[in-house]
Amino acid sequence: MDYSIFIYLAPIAGAISLIAAGLLAWRVLKEKSGDKKMQEIARAIQEGAMAYLKRQYMTIAVVAVVLALVIGFALGWNLAASFAIGAIASGVAGFIGMNVSVRSNVRTAAAARNSLKQALRVAFRGGSVTGLAVVGLSMLGVSLMYIIFRDVNLVVGFGFGASLISLFARVGGGIYTKAADVGADIVGKVEAGIPEDDPRNPATIADNVGDNVGDCAGMGADLFETYAVTLLASMLIGSTISGGTFEAREVVYPLALGSVAIIASIIAIFFVRLGRSKKIMNALYKGVAAAAIFSGVAFLFITNWIFGNMTYFWVALIGIAITVLMFIFTEYYTSTKHRPVKAIAAASETGAGTNVISGLSFGMESTILPVITIIAGILVAFFVAGGFDGNGLYGIAVAAVSMLSMAGMIVALDSYGPITDNAGGIAEMSEQPKKVREITDELDAVGNTTKAVTKGYAIGSAALGALALFADYYEKMIAGNTSGVEIDLAINNPVILVGLLIGGLLPFAFTSVTMRAVSKAAMGVVNEVRRQFKEIPGILKGKAKPDYARCVDIVTSAALKEMILPGAMAIVVPILVGWLLGTAALAGVLIGIIVVGLMLAMTLNNAGGAWDNAKKLIESDGLYGGKGSEAHKAAVVGDTVGDPTKDTSGPGLNALIKVVNMVAILFISIFTVGGVLGL
């Protein structure tokens, strides 16, 4: 049977997703944008966000051009072209997401003047534009590259280009947003005692800009890359199984799953609506549930059509089940409704120290159930697909693709967060009635949880995707070994142990560098805000306008400068290990970074989300003293610690894991078994 029809349907599905994104964007932009003051504030956020993105992409472009030339001369110009297209497509995905987000925020605030229902509709549709653009561009790019080159190994360049942009966008955007946020909180909330998003705070525009460059552009690039790389990993393994024919069903199947899931996500968007309970989270989860159900039904027919049996359908359901469980576990540890956040809020009553200790404790605890779930998913998928005697590794890859099948809906949930956060800021700064701010606060409180939940999803899918990438690296390592030297991956081999230690070290070194970068940039913001409060009389009395542009410039310069080192680490370290110590040692690096990176990313993400919502709980619940209390001040400190963990270092680790794996796969042909040291 000719399965090539699914290859040609994939770019059509990607195009449909982009058309749907365009229609949703048109609907959002037709909404009213509020009064003159709201529009003025929104314009400042738009200008700051676009100016930063332009400077970030110009900086990344220099690195990308150099890498494209290196790849072209060392590995071939087809790979270099594929790399360039992947980088451009990832950048476009981030640009679209942020461009719509910074226009949806003011329209959400304006809609909040009418009703919660209308504000939710505008915010979620704005987020959906990013979600559909991300999966549409990713599917379109991967499938077209495969059609053009007819060799999935050449499409690896596309994945590496996407990974590179993702890493820089995540790190740069994360440093920007958290430096502004931390600086604004320390001087505004803690020292001056003024509310969040108060127009008297010189850092408040930078803070609102940061929400977009970090979560919209950053998360968009992150899941664009995860989606593309996971598709590639499963296609690479499928190519190995099938012998590399263009229309092999094992290669086509991941594209078919992704294509039908895109249509399912488009339909599911219209299931997000408030019910009688008026609970926003329930409305959002209706969309997630609809996407999961529609995708599952479509997988049933697609699997039977391609394979004639249900084996891989059950594997695909495992991926959906992992997604659902990751949602449940992450929400439990980060939502204001459950024990962890309530315990952190209670710990705040005895000071900042106990708040931080409690947050770290729950952050570490939060790894247990997700990791057990991922372990169970790996084992079940492996053995259902045939285990060691069948296509067990391919089964793991299919489960990862299934997890990513709902990426459109997940990115929509994530982008919803910064849109509602910005809407609240605009409502506060434009002095809207209390009723409007109450609606935007309600939307934003849910947005904090959705951002945490989607980061948990991104981490889990990154782990499965990276395992699939490692499987392909292993196959290439074995197939490319013509030296006659047996490759020994036993743990008692000191070369492997060294690789494992280097791989385990990388996430900690990366986290150290990114956390320190936020601290340094935040110090600059703190000093600038203090200076303005001191030198510009009347700011705190509302009689003088702060210099917002100065804070924007400080965090922009710091983010662009500080993102280079962590990005370079992800590229240079695997190349050095492969060149000096050889392919076996590099295999150890890949396993080490997957295991340690997964645990550390979960801890940082969930602890940060819990600290943030503990602060929100104290602000909204009189049980802990409310705003201005000692418990609130302690919670602000905890939230300040959690800001870079959940929005800079934690999400950045996702991209780090995959970039290192992609570099290893891309450059493996120039490494030897023992490296230049002859190990």
Side-chain angles (χ1 to χ4, degrees), residues 54-419:
K54 180 180 178 182
R55 289 177 62 179
Q56 176 178 265
Y57 283 171
M58 287 176 65
T59 304
I60 298 172
V62 175
V63 179
V65 168
V66 172
L67 276 173
L69 291 173
V70 170
I71 293 169
F73 283 111
L75 304 171
W77 294 104
N78 282 342
L79 267 175
S82 180
F83 165 80
I85 293 169
I88 292 169
S90 181
V92 169
F95 175 83
I96 291 173
M98 198 172 75
N99 201 24
V100 174
S101 173
V102 294
R103 286 164 174 76
S104 302
N105 52 16
V106 67
R107 288 166 172 81
T108 300
R113 300 198 293 187
N114 298 324
S115 68
L116 173 64
K117 181 179 180 180
Q118 187 175 338
L120 172 63
R121 185 180 70 246
V122 174
F124 183 72
R125 283 182 176 175
S128 298
V129 173
T130 307
L132 295 180
V134 163
V135 296
L137 279 168
S138 189
M139 177 60 74
L140 190 64
V142 171
S143 57
L144 284 180
M145 289 295 96
Y146 186 57
I147 290 169
I148 292 169
F149 293 123
R150 303 182 71 86
D151 181 357
V152 70
N153 289 290
L154 292 176
V155 190
V156 170
F158 182 92
F160 180 46
S163 297
L164 182 74
I165 298 299
S166 168
L167 181 62
F168 281 114
R170 257 308 186 192
V171 172
I175 292 170
Y176 186 113
T177 182
K178 291 305 109 180
D181 198 356
V182 169
D185 283 355
I186 288 176
V187 187
K189 285 185 178 181
V190 178
E191 296 181 4
I194 58 178
E196 186 174 359
D197 297 317
D198 193 296
R200 294 171 291 177
N201 193 326
T204 191
I205 291 293
D207 186 10
N208 280 279
V209 170
D211 292 331
N212 295 286
V213 301
D215 276 309
C216 290
M219 186 63 160
D222 187 355
L223 278 178
F224 174 93
E225 172 258 348
T226 300
Y227 192 91
V229 165
T230 304
L231 273 178
L232 275 171
S234 56
M235 291 170 71
L236 284 164
I237 296 174
S239 178
T240 302
I241 293 170
S242 63
T245 55
F246 174 71
E247 69 283 351
R249 59 184 183 178
E250 290 84 2
V251 178
V252 170
Y253 184 56
L255 292 173
L257 292 182
S259 298
V260 296
I262 284 175
I263 307 303
S265 291
I266 293 172
I267 297 170
I269 286 170
F270 298 98
F271 281 74
V272 175
R273 58 185 66 187
L274 282 177
R276 293 181 180 178
S277 66
K278 301 293 183 182
K279 291 183 178 179
I280 299 170
M281 187 60 82
N282 289 352
L284 296 175
Y285 279 171
K286 284 179 189 175
V288 177
I293 292 169
F294 293 147
S295 294
V297 172
F299 291 171
L300 174 66
F301 291 103
I302 288 293
T303 306
N304 190 52
W305 187 353
I306 293 177
F307 290 102
N309 61 67
M310 292 292 100
T311 299
Y312 291 115
F313 169 69
W314 304 120
V315 173
L317 287 188
I318 292 166
I320 293 176
I322 293 173
T323 298
V324 172
L325 290 173
M326 292 294 287
F327 263 63
I328 292 171
F329 298 146
T330 307
E331 184 186 355
Y332 174 76
Y333 279 99
T334 58
S335 172
T336 56
K337 299 176 183 178
H338 303 297
R339 178 181 69 94
V341 169
K342 290 180 179 179
I344 295 170
S348 304
E349 294 181 307
T350 53
T354 45
N355 170 284
V356 172
I357 292 169
S358 181
L360 283 173
S361 170
F362 282 114
M364 293 177 184
E365 180 186 304
S366 71
T367 63
I368 298 172
L369 291 176
V371 170
I372 290 174
T373 299
I374 291 172
I375 290 170
I378 289 170
L379 291 175
V380 174
F382 183 80
F383 287 107
V384 167
F388 296 101
D389 298 323
N391 298 325
L393 291 176
Y394 184 67
I396 295 173
V398 168
V401 170
S402 176
M403 275 195 77
L404 267 298
S405 66
M406 292 186 288
M409 178 60 66
I410 305 305
V411 177
L413 288 182
D414 185 79
S415 297
Y416 159 91
I419 289 172

Side-chain angles (χ1 to χ4, degrees), residues 593-618:
I593 198 171
I594 292 170
V595 173
V596 176
L598 170 66
M599 309 292 183
L600 187 57
M602 283 184 182
T603 298
L604 296 174
N605 175 58
N606 294 336
W611 273 316
D612 191 352
N613 273 344
K615 178 199 68 176
K616 289 269 191 305
L617 181 60
I618 291 172

Side-chain angles (χ1 to χ4, degrees), residues 393-451:
L393 291 176
Y394 184 67
I396 295 173
V398 168
V401 170
S402 176
M403 275 195 77
L404 267 298
S405 66
M406 292 186 288
M409 178 60 66
I410 305 305
V411 177
L413 288 182
D414 185 79
S415 297
Y416 159 91
I419 289 172
T420 56
D421 194 352
N422 271 200
I426 292 169
E428 177 79 34
M429 295 179 72
S430 61
E431 300 175 333
Q432 295 299 305
K434 183 180 179 182
K435 178 185 175 183
V436 175
R437 182 67 200 198
E438 286 175 350
I439 289 176
T440 58
D441 280 347
E442 192 174 349
L443 292 168
D444 184 29
V446 172
N448 281 327
T449 301
T450 62
K451 285 189 288 185

